[in-house]
Amino acid sequence: MAYMLALFGTGAFVMRGAGCTINDMWDVKFDKMLNPYTIAFCLGSMPLVTIYPFMKRITYWPQLVLGLAFNWGALVGWTAVTGGMNWGVALPLYAAGVSWTLVYDTIYGHQDKRDDIAAGVKSTSLLFGDNTKAVLSVFSSSTIGLISVAGYMNGQGLPFYATVLGVGSAHLIWQLQKVDIHDPASCWRTFKSNTWFGGIILGAVLADMAYDRLYSDAAGSKEHSIQ
């Protein structure tokens, strides 16, 4: 068994190293386009990525660390596009992502809670227990609120807020009403439904862009007619 573990462990290390190297070779032109500020932010995520696997052994909040690591891309993406940082927009967006991660990964964790108890590992699923829905309703509200704050700071318009506050809120409410935290199949279905929530937020941004474009075109046509 020790031999097999060493063999496959070495194989995994070598194959991942080769895969990363090939990926870098293909992306060399793209990587040159990243500014130093963005590269610094990318490196900033490494401590979170490194410590996350150990968190479930020492704290009931590994999902929080997961959220901090998973959503780092909100900060990196902003710097990559703008070359700088607008904390008024990026920070609430990042915090919204962390809050959302606590929602969906706590639901996910309820599938494994019996195994986690047997293995002696911790999670927010075990911490919240039968109060999960009440606690996640707070995090769901925080997610919607923080996305709205980020939108406000970024100058988003009516379609964005209508979609986020209306459709987005409705979806999160539906999740918490529908999920049975004691049924692994129900937890899995609800966890997967979060792809729809991500799509809703993307739709809110696209709808706002389309509305802004149409409004600008209409205003331009009116000005041209007056002239």
Side-chain angles (χ1 to χ4, degrees):
M1 181 61 69
Y3 169 76
M4 295 301 291
L5 286 173
L7 179 63
F8 282 96
T10 303
F13 178 81
V14 172
M15 287 303 297
R16 292 190 181 191
C20 291
T21 301
I22 294 171
N23 179 72
D24 288 343
M25 291 170 64
W26 281 103
D27 291 346
V28 62
K29 293 183 179 179
F30 173 79
D31 291 340
K32 290 180 179 179
M33 299 169 62
L34 292 176
N35 59 70
Y37 200 52
T38 300
I39 294 173
F41 263 95
C42 288
L43 294 175
S45 68
M46 294 310 298
L48 292 170
V49 173
T50 302
I51 67 172
Y52 166 67
F54 302 99
M55 289 297 100
K56 60 186 177 182
R57 294 168 174 81
I58 61 176
T59 178
Y60 280 101
W61 290 90
Q63 280 81 4
L64 175 60
V65 181
L66 176 67
L68 293 171
F70 259 24
N71 296 281
W72 198 262
L75 306 178
V76 174
W78 188 274
T79 62
V81 172
T82 66
M85 175 57 70
N86 184 339
W87 289 107
V89 179
L91 191 58
L93 182 62
Y94 177 59
V98 174
S99 186
W100 180 32
T101 302
L102 281 163
V103 173
Y104 66 71
D105 207 61
T106 297
I107 293 173
Y108 180 89
H110 272 284
Q111 299 177 102
D112 305 324
K113 55 189 174 185
R114 292 180 181 177
D115 293 334
D116 289 346
I117 292 172
V121 297
K122 303 174 176 64
S123 70
T124 52
S125 308
L126 295 177
L127 177 64
F128 302 155
D130 290 335
N131 295 318
T132 289
K133 291 191 176 184
V135 176
L136 294 191
S137 67
V138 175
F139 285 120
S140 295
S141 299
S142 298
T143 300
I144 296 295
L146 288 164
I147 291 174
S148 299
V149 170
Y152 173 78
M153 297 301 293
N154 198 46
Q156 303 297 142
L158 181 61
F160 176 84
Y161 297 111
T163 306
V164 171
L165 295 174
V167 186
S169 296
H171 183 79
L172 292 180
I173 292 170
W174 171 83
Q175 282 192 43
L176 295 182
Q177 289 181 339
K178 189 73 174 177
V179 66
D180 179 354
I181 61 173
H182 301 299
D183 179 7
S186 176
C187 291
W188 175 246
R189 288 192 301 270
T190 306
F191 167 75
K192 290 198 300 181
S193 75
N194 278 276
T195 57
W196 288 101
F197 181 76
I200 289 167
I201 303 306
L202 175 61
V205 174
L206 295 177
D208 201 57
M209 291 173 63
Y211 174 81
D212 186 62
R213 180 64 179 269
L214 290 173
Y215 181 81
S216 298
D217 290 346
S221 298
K222 183 177 180 180
E223 183 180 351
H224 180 73
S225 298
I226 293 174
Q227 291 176 351

